[in-house]
Amino acid sequence: MMTTEKSAVISIGRIYCDLIFTGLDELPVLGRELFASDMEIAAGGGAFIAAAHFAHIGRTAALLARLGTDTFSRAIGEKMRQSGVDLQFLEHSADAGPQVTVATVVGHDRAFLTRRAGAARPSTLDAAFAWNKARHLHIAEFATLHEIPDLISRAKDNGLSVSLDPSWDASLIYDKGLLRACAGVDVFLPNLEEAEAITGHANPEAALTALSEAFPVVALKGGAQGAWVSSRAGFHHAAAKKVPVVDTTGAGDAFNAGFIDAWLRREEEKPCLEAGVAAGSLAVQAAGGAPKVRTPA
């Protein structure tokens, strides 16, 4: 475990109780009932999954978020406490839940149904930015930045570097002001679908070229196609690892943690990319995205 001062990551975003159905032959359609052979109840949301992978790697990560007091929120509370993530900035409030995502998984395909609750801005925001161990702010979805537009400027005022995963939100991903709102981000982490929605380019290299005009480092996630990175040092690709895939939920957030951890260690872009792919490959081998915590026998 790292103990160096100013090495910790603050990960901000909404937290969900994920109900993940696997062992399906097809995705749900209207008017038909399907039966899954497996189901997992997991703590979800990009902020928590990324933080859990930071902790698994060995980097201190604090979750900056709000959690409800309802049954679903309580169900994931213990899982979060076992994750190794620092929860000192987790605000508990009745209006923050229930936040639930139902995920159905068929091979590499997924369908989601999600409910958000309450505001995204935690009352612990000031305390988190005053934390003397903080070095970096990871924003897990653009929706959080959209609700808290001063996040980047406040992070920069406190000497933190910033990363952001836009995350898919159909109501926001096509917003022409998205890139302008993300000004100041050091590492931008979209997937192929998000990058195409933002830039209009389906080709990875074209999308990276467009995004590189706005951000110093862009890491682009392509699932089975691997991942790409573009920076002032050049353009690189890393192939996906061949591993057994159980659930791809959270793989992108795991990639974020692996990439950012290496970037904070001042690795070159290609090793950062490979670290991201390795973390993402770990995530897809179990349902839920976050690393599994082994309970004592």
Side-chain angles (χ1 to χ4, degrees), residues 96-217:
Q99 288 196 144
V100 179
T101 291
V102 176
T104 52
V105 182
V106 178
H108 291 184
D109 292 328
R110 300 167 295 163
F112 300 99
L113 178 64
T114 296
R115 178 189 188 262
R116 287 176 176 156
R121 189 184 191 102
S123 62
T124 53
L125 196 65
D126 290 343
F129 280 127
W131 191 30
N132 62 6
K133 293 184 179 180
R135 177 178 175 186
H136 182 85
L137 176 70
H138 176 60
I139 305 171
E141 64 273 315
F142 177 69
T144 294
L145 178 63
H146 184 72
E147 285 194 61
I148 317 173
D150 62 343
L151 269 180
I152 297 171
S153 61
R154 291 195 59 178
K156 293 293 183 174
D157 288 344
N158 284 275
L160 307 184
S161 51
V162 180
S163 57
L164 185 142
D165 183 330
S167 191
W168 186 267
D169 184 325
S171 67
L172 296 173
I173 198 71
Y174 297 102
D175 187 339
K176 298 300 182 183
L178 186 150
L179 293 181
R180 184 171 60 253
C182 294
V185 164
D186 300 289
V187 183
F188 192 65
L189 299 146
N191 64 26
L192 282 172
E193 186 178 17
E194 292 154 1
E196 181 179 359
I198 294 166
T199 69
H201 297 294
N203 177 272
E205 189 165 357
L208 280 171
T209 299
L211 291 171
S212 293
E213 296 178 3
F215 306 104
V217 178

Side-chain angles (χ1 to χ4, degrees), residues 22 36 83 128-129 172 174 182 185 198 200 220 234-235 253 272 284 288 290:
T22 56
S83 67
F129 280 127
L172 296 173
Y174 297 102
C182 294
V185 164
I198 294 166
L220 180 58
F235 176 90
D253 302 305
C272 291
V284 301

